[in-house]
């Protein structure tokens, strides 16, 4: 605010400058003998006041009140457009501040608070959006994330290898040791799966229960099966209950007419073949593509 002078201070300056000084000047001039007709000059001065009453009132209102109100309105208009970088220069807080200075100070606080709240809400919205594509137990992608990645790969016409993984005799772990121990095994596999694929390239996910999978992007069937074999071997050696996993892998090139459900069904057939071979098996085939 201009010189940090409040409404009362500016009003005092205005009264002194426009009203008191002319009368003081008139009295000094009369005292020095420069003016002989003091009453006539006083009447003329009053006439001048009356003649300029409206423009002087406008100057007074603008300088004392309206300038700050206009700045507040401009700041609010910026806030409506999403710009909250509003700062009014009000200086250090003092105990004798008038209401206008307090209002501007509170406007500064409000703008800062809104900025903080918006940043917090934006961060939480991003976190919630990310969580909606993540499996809560393992941190891997979920079905929704799988659909998004598949659609992206389909639009690019990528060659992919899709693997579906299912634990062998996992129900016995839950029945014997409880679901908390079962969850611990699922977390262990989720970690091994995440570490066993290429970061930012392949997409590991959990469909639910003990069913996991990976989208290998631009990977041959042989390489995808080798990666799945390494993951399965590591899981069998690292989990305390020696659980194993069966894996079905298919390789295909996606096109705009590709259907995730159909490809999952084909991959599920490969997984079934792995299961029928006794489990802890990786079985894959190429289904071609469009």
């Amino acid at each position: 605010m201009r010189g940090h002078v409040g409404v009362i201070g500016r009003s005092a300056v205005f009264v002194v400058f426009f009203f008191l000084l002319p009368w003081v000047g008139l009295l000094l001039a009369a005292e020095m003998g420069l003016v002989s007709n003091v009453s006539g000059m006083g009447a003329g001065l009053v006439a001048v006041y009356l003649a300029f009453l409206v423009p002087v009132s406008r100057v007074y209102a603008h300088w004392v009140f309206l300038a700050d109100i206009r700045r507040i309105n401009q700041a609010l208009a910026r806030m409506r457009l999403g710009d909250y970088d509003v700062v009014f220069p009000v200086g250090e807080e003092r105990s004798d501040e008038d209401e206008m200075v307090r209002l501007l100070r509170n406007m500064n606080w409000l703008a800062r608070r809104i900025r903080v709240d918006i940043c917090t809400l934006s961060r939480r919205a991003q976190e919630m959006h990310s969580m909606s594509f993540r499996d809560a137990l393992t941190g891997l992608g979920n079905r929704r994330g799988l659909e998004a990645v598949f659609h992206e790969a389909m639009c690019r016409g990528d060659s992919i290898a899709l693997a579906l993984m299912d634990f062998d005799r996992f129900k016995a772990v839950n029945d014997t040791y409880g679901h908390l121990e079962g969850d611990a095994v699922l977390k262990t596999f989720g970690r091994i799966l995440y570490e066993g694929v290429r970061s930012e390239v392949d997409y590991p996910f959990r469909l639910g229960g003990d069913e996991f999978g990976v989208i290998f992007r631009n990977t041959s069937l042989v390489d995808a099966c080798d990666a799945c074999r390494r993951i399965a071997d590591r899981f069998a050696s690292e989990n305390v209950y020696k659980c194993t996993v069966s894996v079905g892998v298919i390789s295909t090139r996606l096109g705009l007419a590709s259907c995730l459900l159909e490809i999952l069904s084909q991959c599920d057939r490969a997984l079934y073949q792995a299961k029928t071979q006794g489990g802890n098996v990786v079985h894959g085939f190429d289904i071609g593509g469009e």
Side-chain angles (χ1 to χ4, degrees):
M1 201 165 96
R2 297 169 297 281
H4 313 311
V5 179
V7 172
I8 296 176
R10 279 177 287 173
S11 297
V13 171
F14 190 88
V15 170
V16 169
F17 184 79
F18 283 99
F19 294 98
L20 294 184
L21 285 183
W23 286 104
V24 170
L26 178 60
L27 293 176
L28 288 176
E31 184 71 21
M32 297 171 62
L34 299 176
V35 175
S36 58
N37 188 0
V38 176
S39 60
M41 289 294 294
L45 189 58
V46 171
V48 171
Y49 284 153
L50 293 175
F52 288 93
L53 180 62
V54 173
V56 169
S57 298
R58 287 176 177 169
V59 172
Y60 173 78
H62 175 79
W63 189 59
V64 176
F65 297 105
L66 297 182
D68 285 330
I69 293 175
R70 182 177 295 111
R71 293 169 63 204
I72 292 173
N73 282 329
Q74 290 171 347
L76 292 174
R78 288 168 56 188
M79 289 183 184
R80 289 178 61 185
L81 297 175
D83 180 7
Y84 299 98
D85 294 324
V86 175
V87 178
F88 295 103
V90 292
E92 296 295 329
E93 187 171 0
R94 302 195 306 266
S95 60
D96 61 343
E97 290 177 344
D98 60 41
E99 293 303 318
M100 184 62 74
V101 177
R102 292 195 183 101
L103 175 61
L104 296 178
R105 192 179 300 283
N106 288 332
M107 287 290 295
N108 284 341
W109 176 88
L110 178 63
R112 286 195 301 269
R113 181 69 190 197
I114 293 176
R115 284 199 301 270
V116 170
D117 289 346
I118 287 178
C119 290
T120 301
L121 290 173
S122 177
R123 184 177 66 254
R124 289 179 179 174
Q126 291 175 354
E127 292 173 353
M128 292 297 293
H129 183 266
S130 177
M131 288 173 59
S132 69
F133 289 89
R134 295 285 172 187
D135 173 60
L137 181 65
T138 64
L140 300 178
N142 58 15
R143 177 60 179 260
R144 185 177 180 183
L146 168 63
E147 292 172 352
V149 171
F150 181 86
H151 179 74
E152 178 186 349
M154 182 184 69
C155 291
R156 291 199 305 259
D158 285 350
S159 294
I160 68 164
L162 175 65
L164 286 183
M165 307 171 177
D166 189 80
F167 291 2
D168 303 315
R169 296 171 294 278
F170 180 64
K171 185 176 183 297
V173 175
N174 284 328
D175 292 344
T176 305
Y177 303 103
H179 288 280
L180 290 180
E181 290 300 311
D183 287 349
V185 174
L186 293 173
K187 290 179 182 179
T188 297
F189 184 75
R191 173 179 55 81
I192 293 172
L193 183 59
Y194 178 80
E195 294 173 354
V197 300
R198 297 170 298 177
S199 178
E200 307 297 329
V201 178
D202 303 325
Y203 185 76
F205 57 88
R206 179 188 179 210
L207 288 179
D210 59 337
E211 189 172 13
F212 292 77
V214 183
I215 287 183
F216 295 96
R217 285 185 263 209
N218 298 314
T219 302
S220 69
L221 177 63
V222 173
D223 289 341
C225 288
D226 287 344
C228 290
R229 183 69 266 167
R230 290 192 297 271
I231 291 169
D233 290 344
R234 182 180 171 188
F235 176 61
S237 65
E238 290 190 15
N239 76 89
V240 295
Y241 301 112
K242 302 304 178 183
C243 289
T244 59
V245 62
S246 296
V247 185
V249 187
I250 60 97
S251 177
T252 186
R253 173 173 290 278
L254 299 179
L256 292 179
S258 298
C259 174
L260 177 59
L261 290 178
E262 176 61 29
I263 292 176
L264 284 173
S265 176
Q266 296 275 9
C267 196
D268 198 54
R269 286 200 299 148
L271 176 59
Y272 176 77
Q273 292 296 324
K275 286 284 190 182
T276 59
Q277 296 177 44
N280 196 23
V281 171
V282 177
H283 180 80
F285 60 89
D286 195 324
I287 64 172
E290 300 180 25

